[in-house]
Amino acid sequence: MAGIVIVGAQWGDEGKGKVVDLLAERADLVIRFQGGNNAGHTIVRDGVSWKFHLIPSGILYPGKLCAIGNGVVIDPKVLTDELDQLRAKGIDLSGLRISANAHLIMPYHMLLDHAGETKLGKLQIGTTRRGIGPCYADKAARLGIRMQDLLDEKILRKKIYTALAPKQLMLRPFAKDPELDLHTMTEEYRILGHRLEAYIADTPPIAWRALDRDGLVLFEGAQGALLDIDHGTYPFVTSSNTVAGAACAGAGVGPRALDEVWGIAKAYATRVGAGPFPTELEEPLGEQIREAGGEFGTTTGRPRRTGWLDLVALRYATRINGLTGIVLTKLDVLTGIDPLHVGVRYLGPEGATFDEFPYHQSIVHKVNGDLIELPGWHEDISGVRSLDELPANAQAYLDFIADYLGIPIVMVGVGPARDEMIWTGAAERLKPAAA
Ligand code: IMP
């Protein structure tokens, strides 16, 4: 087993950070391949809670090779702040590498993200307003500024000059003086470039070398399958491909480098921002799960919408990612909720039913999950470390999911701490020594 892709199998926030952090102990390289600081994850280590937005989750292991791949969009201010915080706490950052080809989020991208949402009014996507969409748009339009541009002031100034003019026009209706000054911006980014220079690298060869040595490479995804720009609930999606296939383009490796693809899913479902959510829960149960699961955004602090596990969407995620295993997180949050429900198909208007995830946006917006009832459990499961120690109803819940999806469950989260995890099947031999 060499390359393992870790992707979100729902709407993001599934707990990928914790899983990557745990697997990272045995990894030779962790590389992020898409998204930006719209992502955010919290890792709890020895009672200390760490929040990351850009830096790969393996960074807490001293000297661990952790790369930010070319497919990621980087706000250099956020990155330098994150590095400062880690340095202040004595974390060894010598293993960090940042792709020279990664695109940069510029001040105008954030202004455009705000302006775009304002313009949409009630129809807004509910973006994180971090400039992600406009940055990827500039990348596709060949107007992007890349990490390597920071290292050459002349090129940087020229590229900002070219990129800036259309932005000033676009932003004019929203702000008379949008503070987009070429000189100030070039200077600010040049300085940020100096601060990041030591970490800027050609990242694909780092991955090739690790793979050639049969090392373990973790490809760390952000967001989740239903937020994928092609396969998600467009336009209520993020602006990158979040599926496992994107690991290749976003890290610079071929598909044969990917040996396992593990989808992370919560034992229930959450979504932040607008868009369809067929198994969304009504209050007060929705609120109960939100509180029990601490379902508030790491990046924006927004309360997450909560719902029952949607197996139609999860099976779709299994197919579009080619998942070989499921990591089910936060099973403990469901303790005490009895009965439980899971969505096994969708019910549409006029008695229509859908066994598969519908491609048509109007249908996805109108369907509700056809829920089946499964018995819950009441025992505290946070101390359980093997599947057969789980209460019978919790085991039956997991079996139902694995049977429906046709793939094994390889890890099960039973609490927020590092060791509160059940390791099984293909994951068992990757268990960290301390867990
Ligand atoms: P953007 O990625 O900021 O453009 O936001 C687009 C959509 O993706 C919005 O619905 C966001 O709430 C959602 N989104 C982006 N990143 C994350 C994430 O890390 N977790 C959950 N939702 C996200």
Side-chain angles (χ1 to χ4, degrees), residues 23-80:
L23 294 171
E25 185 177 309
R26 296 198 185 274
D28 295 273
L29 168 69
V30 182
I31 181 161
R32 264 199 68 177
F33 59 87
Q34 48 73 227
N37 60 309
N38 47 349
H41 41 255
T42 309
I43 292 166
V44 183
R45 244 320 154 95
D46 303 326
V48 182
S49 161
W50 300 82
K51 287 190 194 306
F52 299 116
H53 296 289
L54 273 167
I55 295 187
S57 306
I59 200 74
L60 296 180
Y61 299 93
K64 179 76 64 186
L65 266 183
C66 289
I68 302 180
N70 54 277
V72 176
V73 289
I74 300 174
D75 181 331
K77 277 187 250 175
V78 173
L79 182 55
T80 45

Side-chain angles (χ1 to χ4, degrees), residues 72-234:
V72 176
V73 289
I74 300 174
D75 181 331
K77 277 187 250 175
V78 173
L79 182 55
T80 45
D81 283 351
E82 223 158 84
L83 294 178
D84 285 346
Q85 280 170 30
L86 286 165
R87 246 185 243 112
K89 288 182 183 161
I91 300 298
D92 172 5
L93 297 172
S94 62
L96 182 67
R97 304 286 183 275
I98 306 167
S99 167
N101 287 351
H103 280 249
L104 298 178
I105 295 180
M106 306 296 290
Y108 44 79
H109 291 139
M110 279 171 279
L111 293 172
L112 284 169
D113 202 350
H114 274 275
E117 288 285 86
T118 308
K119 202 163 135 195
L120 283 171
K122 275 193 191 149
L123 298 175
Q124 65 180 237
I125 293 159
T127 72
T128 60
R129 302 192 177 214
R130 301 296 192 264
I132 307 295
C135 182
Y136 276 116
D138 264 358
K139 175 177 177 176
R142 275 78 40 100
L143 284 173
I145 319 283
R146 295 186 298 171
M147 199 43 98
Q148 59 181 284
D149 299 328
L150 294 178
L151 305 179
D152 184 320
E153 190 182 344
K154 235 167 110 186
I155 290 181
L156 179 63
R157 181 182 299 275
K158 218 165 148 185
K159 290 206 175 180
I160 296 181
Y161 174 78
T162 313
L164 203 51
K167 312 301 183 305
Q168 279 162 328
L169 277 179
M170 283 151 90
L171 287 165
R172 200 165 286 161
F174 297 94
K176 278 206 172 66
D177 176 19
E179 293 172 24
L180 297 178
D181 174 65
L182 173 66
H183 178 73
T184 318
M185 204 182 295
T186 308
E187 191 50 19
E188 188 187 358
Y189 274 65
R190 187 187 65 77
I191 293 167
L192 289 166
H194 275 307
R195 298 187 55 199
L196 294 171
E197 190 168 357
Y199 305 106
I200 299 177
D202 185 15
T203 47
I206 301 173
W208 307 335
R209 282 195 291 272
L211 292 163
D212 287 348
R213 288 195 307 268
D214 275 337
L216 175 63
V217 178
L218 296 178
F219 297 89
E220 179 180 8
Q223 290 87 44
L226 280 308
L227 290 174
D228 182 275
I229 191 158
D230 284 290
H231 305 287
T233 52
Y234 192 90

